[in-house]
Amino acid sequence: MEQQNDCSIQRGQPLRRYPNDYKAEGHSSTLNKTTMNQPQYSNTGRPTVRIAVYLMTGVFLTMEVEQNATAQQIFTIVQSEAELGLSRFSLSTTTPIFALWMCSSQLEVQLRPTHKPVELAAKWNYLVNKYSSYAEDSDDEEPLLYFRRNIFLSKSEEEQIKDIKILELLYAEARYNVLQGRYACDGPARYASLGALQARIELGPYNAQTHTLAFFHRHRGRFLPHHYASPSLLLGLGLGLGLVGGKGAPEAHLLEQYKRIPSHNGSANANPKKLIRKYLEFCWNLPCYGAAFFQGQIERPVRGLASWITNRDMQILIAINTSGVFIVDDIQCSLLLGLKYSELSWEMAKPSDENNPDCLPCLFLQFPVRENGARVYKILQVFSRQAPMMDTLISGFAEDYRRQFINSDSNNDQLEHSLVFPSGSFTNKLSKFTLATFDDEGRCIGQMGSWSFR
């Protein structure tokens, strides 16, 4: 193959499919094993390494690149792969639609165009130890290189995309985040609607003989998030009762929704492209859509004296996108808090004892609420080794917001439309948090948990 930006590439078996449990089987992109292999050399005399780039559609592209290849060079190769159908013309938006990400179970990083993935992978364990809250389990962390949605792509830009190949990639990534519980919905009915759309896209029209309640019960982990996919207690007891989900079960709601989707391909609503776009339109209304996710923990509210003995921090995900900052309970797939940049103030604090591994950096998030008719300010403390990364990302998005606000005199309506939360509104669950409360003059008027000792 021809050289791309002085990056010698040799491709073998261009597109291959990987199973859903690919990572669990111990496969990797071999990025961080470069130094353990006998080096190969390109026609420029520079050492090369074979890597794989994974797409969310379940295929990966293998290529041989020079060890100093940049993310932009690798990105260009993926984009120009004929089998993917992603032409440069179709990707030419103001903001790139996709980017390269380096990910493992404990750390996810969107790469800058100038990053060198092979070199970055060689020090991945160092980065995980620095930024992960579970550093003791990081020795065998192997990163995978992904072609995923660009965190800086706005929803309004994405809505303009018409290319079906691009929409398929965006759909596959959205589906993954829904099933992982990252794109938290406000109730089982919404998950059933998304699962039904996914079933229609992937299974075709409803067939009464095949698509039974028992079928969706067996495959509910394929169409519903993990907190709905776990077997019930009775089924887990192995009593041989032959039970499947009843009328109120999530898979029953999914089946009912699936039946309602037109089954004739002649129908405009049953066109595969229309169905994929419909799924994405639904996801665009979810607050966390398009976010980068970070690991963190918060102090649980203390209820009663005994809870001081057993109280443990709650593990959370912090989702940050162009709309705001969100706190997600990914165990329950529940959105706990959402803050727009127009109402958010924040500050990052370094640990008081940087030599103590249990002393974590943190983000203080301040936001206004109305209590008893008065405007007050709440402060939430989020502990995370990834706080510096979050601080940088929030700073960038908040600066974009301020820039738009300053330039909004002649276009207030458009600005307001672009900065409000998606239409699927939710209620902040403040009872889940340990908060401090301040009045307009900065006086502390309420304390909870460890705040009471400050």
Side-chain angles (χ1 to χ4, degrees), residues 12-120:
Q13 298 180 329
L15 290 182
R16 298 165 61 191
R17 181 163 295 277
Y18 60 90
N20 291 334
D21 57 350
Y22 195 83
K23 289 181 288 185
E25 293 178 358
H27 297 271
S28 77
S29 61
T30 68
L31 278 169
N32 60 349
K33 294 182 178 178
T34 304
T35 57
M36 293 186 290
N37 297 329
Q38 285 285 47
Q40 303 297 316
Y41 295 90
S42 69
N43 53 14
T44 64
R46 298 169 183 161
T48 64
V49 60
R50 180 164 293 278
I51 67 170
V53 180
Y54 295 85
L55 281 69
M56 302 305 289
T57 49
V59 301
F60 65 95
L61 178 69
T62 60
M63 62 186 76
E64 192 169 299
V65 301
E66 293 175 1
Q67 290 190 16
N68 64 350
T70 65
Q72 181 60 53
Q73 290 170 331
I74 297 171
F75 178 92
T76 301
I77 295 161
V78 176
Q79 182 179 308
S80 61
E81 170 54 51
E83 288 187 60
L84 295 178
L86 301 174
S87 67
R88 284 194 179 95
F89 176 78
S90 65
L91 292 176
S92 58
T93 56
T94 304
T95 306
I97 299 170
F98 299 103
L100 285 186
W101 289 70
M102 190 167 286
C103 306
S104 66
S105 64
Q106 299 182 41
L107 184 63
E108 301 179 11
V109 179
Q110 178 173 312
L111 305 186
R112 298 192 185 101
T114 55
H115 274 140
K116 297 180 178 180
V118 176
E119 293 181 4
L120 194 62

Side-chain angles (χ1 to χ4, degrees), residues 303-356:
R303 308 192 190 285
L305 185 60
S307 61
W308 282 107
I309 302 173
T310 59
N311 188 53
R312 298 181 63 186
D313 284 353
M314 176 192 299
Q315 302 297 324
I316 58 167
L317 288 178
I318 303 95
I320 302 172
N321 61 17
T322 56
S323 297
V325 179
F326 307 88
I327 305 297
V328 178
D329 177 356
D330 65 325
I331 300 299
Q332 298 298 324
C333 299
S334 173
L335 182 61
L336 304 179
L337 180 68
L339 303 172
K340 295 181 288 187
Y341 294 114
S342 59
E343 63 185 10
L344 170 66
S345 298
W346 80 100
E347 184 173 343
M348 193 199 80
K350 294 183 178 180
S352 56
D353 181 2
E354 296 194 26
N355 295 320
N356 182 354

Side-chain angles (χ1 to χ4, degrees), residues 12 14 85 97 106 120-121 135 148 181 184 256-257 286 330 335 357 362 368 378 384 446:
I97 299 170
Q106 299 182 41
L120 194 62
R148 293 189 353 187
E256 289 305 312
Q257 295 277 359
L286 299 177
D330 65 325
L335 182 61
C362 66
K378 301 286 186 179
S384 175

